[in-house]
Amino acid sequence: MNRVEDIYKAYLQCDSVSFDSRKLSGKSLFVALKGTKTDGNAFVKQALDTGALYAIADDPTLEGTDRVFVVDDALTALQDLARHHRRQLTIPVIGLTGSNGKTTSKELFRSVFATRYNAYATRGNYNNHIGVPVSVLEIKPDHQIAVIEMGANHQKEIEFLCTISMPDYVYITNYGLAHLEGFGGVEGIIKGKSEIYEYARQNGKTALVNIDDAKQVEKSVGISRIITFGTSDRADYQITLNATKPFVSVKFRDHIIESRLSGGYNFSNIAAAIALGAHFGLSIDEIAQGIAAYTPDNNRSQLVNTRKARIICDAYNANPSSMEGAVSNLAEFDGVRVAILGDMYELGDYTDEAHQYIADLCEKLRIEEVYLIGEYFGRVKTDKWKKLSTTEEAVEFFKSYDPNDKTILVKASRSMALERLYPILGIEA
Ligand code: ATP
Ligand code: MG
């Protein structure tokens, strides 16, 4: 018997996979990964003492320890284990990637499928070279369908993640301007995301394609099975926008389907979930129930009414495309609109142009008040908008700000931590 089969037998006795020796269930498989500061190998013995049933480690001095599999590289062993598990699964697996909207789409897919099936979906944002194998290993024998989110910030990453998740259905949410630096420009992003199509082409899998996105249509040519959705009557599943305020609703087969998501850019996320639900035989009622049941509570496009104002909490993350979508959405609200925007990272040479573009867009869309926070926005040329150099400075500034009756968008890259403004703007924790 080879090593992966040995480890797989151990995995089957466990109920979870863990890297943190402080967070173990009674039957964990502990994987000793190397972080930037710590080496999991140092915690193997403690993990086995405090709950782990087995451990995978790559420190040769642990050789011979009871219940420890010593391998050349623990991360590779984890990925091989996930591949082995994936090959045993016979349920449909949907794999999705894209620049923006992966987690939102994934949650909508889960919510729709859950109305009929025991559906698995990636936990949180666990979408990288560690998260994808863990997600695959979380698919249990009683799951009937699974959705795996795959993220990437450089070439060949999606190709690699597909070798682990081996999706039967693939979907790209969109090609946007995210991780420009790592991908090497716009063409690089399109190429990198399209690796999921290449996988589908080579392995005879099915692609879900947004017919309104010319790039998706172009790049998916040659895939043997394609399911299309979108506003065109040429789509297999025709879905049109009904309203965007306060939440997005869409029309499908003469029914209005209401979501709890704010922002017109969520249209394609919702439409994709409807198309997939319909493809898997769900009724319109089930689909509608699934879409309505998903309320974002994760700081992504979350609309919160406070006593004094309406806040669009989108401080989870930002890049030029999602920022443009969010500002355009804000512009659609009535009354005084306020954009509190923080720096966008990972843009390389495109940094100044992108920040200038967003500041100018706010002016073009006649947003009443704009606050630009951070070093990059600090370099923008504008005599109209207020600049604040750091999140700390913004926190101080907004302490004396009156949000009265305004609609306020808060958005920035993750590390700006602009959610620190929420309590100051009147959102209760
Ligand atoms: P990550 O790369 O962090 O995993 P993600 O692709 O999973 O991100 P989400 O977390 O679903 O994306 O959404 C992040 C933000 O992207 C949202 O808050 C929203 O501002 C924006 N967004 C969501 N869907 C779209 C879309 N279809 N087009 C453009 N922007 C979108
Ligand atoms: Mg995500």
Side-chain angles (χ1 to χ4, degrees):
M1 194 156 40
N2 72 28
R3 202 67 209 231
V4 71
E5 282 176 12
D6 269 346
I7 300 176
Y8 192 58
K9 273 193 165 172
Y11 153 83
L12 290 175
Q13 295 169 48
C14 297
D15 57 12
S16 64
V17 175
S18 176
F19 321 108
D20 188 337
S21 58
R22 292 160 303 181
K23 291 186 198 149
L24 298 169
S25 76
K27 286 161 75 180
S28 294
L29 170 63
F30 178 76
V31 185
L33 296 182
K34 288 185 189 65
T36 42
K37 294 197 196 86
T38 53
D39 178 350
N41 286 294
F43 301 99
V44 167
K45 289 199 174 106
Q46 185 192 331
L48 290 170
D49 285 345
T50 55
L53 211 51
Y54 291 98
I56 301 176
D58 51 20
D59 174 354
T61 65
L62 290 164
E63 195 77 65
T65 314
D66 193 27
R67 293 184 285 142
V68 180
F69 294 94
V70 178
V71 295
D72 289 342
D73 180 70
L75 175 60
T76 307
L78 171 75
Q79 293 163 341
D80 287 343
L81 180 66
R83 283 189 192 96
H84 189 76
H85 179 55
R86 174 66 187 90
R87 289 195 191 98
Q88 324 296 315
L89 298 170
T90 52
I91 60 168
V93 174
I94 290 117
L96 78 162
T97 186
S99 302
N100 295 301
K102 295 181 292 298
T103 297
T104 309
S105 302
K106 178 260 297 181
E107 290 299 335
L108 286 165
F109 292 2
R110 179 220 302 273
S111 190
V112 166
F113 287 143
T115 60
R116 170 130 19 136
Y117 300 114
N118 181 7
Y120 173 82
T122 299
R123 267 186 298 131
N125 202 33
Y126 234 38
N127 66 15
N128 66 7
H129 59 294
I130 300 169
V132 170
V134 169
S135 301
V136 167
L137 289 166
E138 284 180 353
I139 305 174
K140 299 292 174 195
D142 56 349
H143 283 123
Q144 297 169 298
I145 194 160
V147 185
I148 304 288
E149 172 174 339
M150 291 181 277
N153 52 25
H154 56 261
Q155 305 293 339
K156 302 281 174 200
E157 217 172 344
I158 294 299
E159 178 184 295
F160 177 74
L161 295 177
C162 282
T163 69
I164 298 171
S165 61
M166 304 176 203
D168 304 299
Y169 291 78
V170 304
Y171 176 54
I172 297 177
T173 57
N174 50 47
Y175 300 106
L177 303 180
H179 306 293
L180 268 170
E181 206 169 12
F183 274 117
V186 179
E187 280 312 309
I189 291 172
I190 294 171
K191 189 160 172 276
K193 302 291 172 196
S194 298
E195 288 167 13
I196 203 169
Y197 286 155
E198 195 48 43
Y199 157 86
R201 233 183 318 265
Q202 285 176 11
N203 295 279
K205 305 298 184 185
T206 304
L208 177 68
V209 169
N210 178 351
I211 206 164
D212 299 325
D213 183 334
K215 269 280 172 257
Q216 287 193 26
V217 173
E218 178 197 325
K219 295 290 170 187
S220 60
V221 167
I223 296 177
S224 54
R225 285 184 61 208
I226 292 182
I227 305 167
T228 56
F229 72 91
T231 56
S232 159
D233 60 7
R234 284 179 297 117
D236 297 326
Y237 298 98
Q238 188 185 15
I239 299 153
T240 52
L241 184 64
N242 177 60
T244 53
K245 284 189 302 181
F247 297 115
V248 181
S249 64
V250 305
K251 202 166 167 194
F252 175 54
R253 293 181 182 155
D254 296 328
H255 288 69
I256 301 293
I257 297 182
E258 313 262 3
S259 82
R260 303 287 296 163
L261 292 166
S262 150
Y265 49 81
N266 277 303
F267 168 72
S268 57
N269 304 339
I270 296 164
I274 294 174
L276 263 191
H279 177 79
F280 280 97
L282 272 64
S283 69
I284 295 212
D285 281 352
E286 285 170 319
I287 293 170
Q289 196 190 322
I291 299 290
Y294 175 55
T295 313
D297 57 355
N298 48 13
N299 205 359
R300 296 165 168 92
S301 321
Q302 203 182 339
L303 191 66
V304 179
N305 287 309
T306 68
R307 252 179 340 108
K308 293 186 112 182
R310 192 192 277 147
I311 320 268
I312 305 166
C313 300
D314 211 351
Y316 163 71
N317 218 340
N319 56 52
S321 332
S322 70
M323 199 67 123
E324 179 168 2
V327 171
S328 308
N329 173 50
L330 174 70
E332 289 183 26
F333 282 85
D334 302 322
V336 178
R337 289 108 12 122
V338 182
I340 304 179
L341 310 177
D343 278 354
M344 300 175 284
Y345 294 135
E346 291 186 66
L347 298 177
D349 294 344
Y350 188 61
T351 303
D352 285 347
E353 192 185 325
H355 287 80
Q356 186 68 49
Y357 176 79
I358 297 295
D360 294 346
L361 178 71
C362 291
E363 199 164 333
K364 198 172 117 206
L365 294 174
R366 299 176 195 282
I367 305 292
E368 281 76 8
E369 291 177 37
V370 178
Y371 300 88
L372 302 174
I373 305 165
E375 183 192 335
Y376 301 151
F377 268 127
R379 298 207 291 255
V380 155
K381 292 184 191 61
T382 175
D383 45 18
K384 218 168 146 61
W385 310 134
K386 168 126 187 103
K387 292 179 184 173
L388 297 150
S389 37
T390 58
T391 302
E392 285 69 40
E393 205 178 293
V395 165
E396 283 312 309
F397 174 82
F398 283 102
K399 278 182 182 164
S400 56
Y401 178 80
D402 185 7
N404 209 3
D405 227 16
K406 297 171 181 173
T407 303
I408 306 174
L409 166 70
V410 183
K411 190 166 179 70
S413 271
R414 182 80 297 276
S415 48
M416 290 296 287
L418 229 50
E419 63 277 6
R420 288 179 54 200
L421 293 175
Y422 294 165
I424 293 155
L425 295 169
I427 296 181
E428 287 159 23

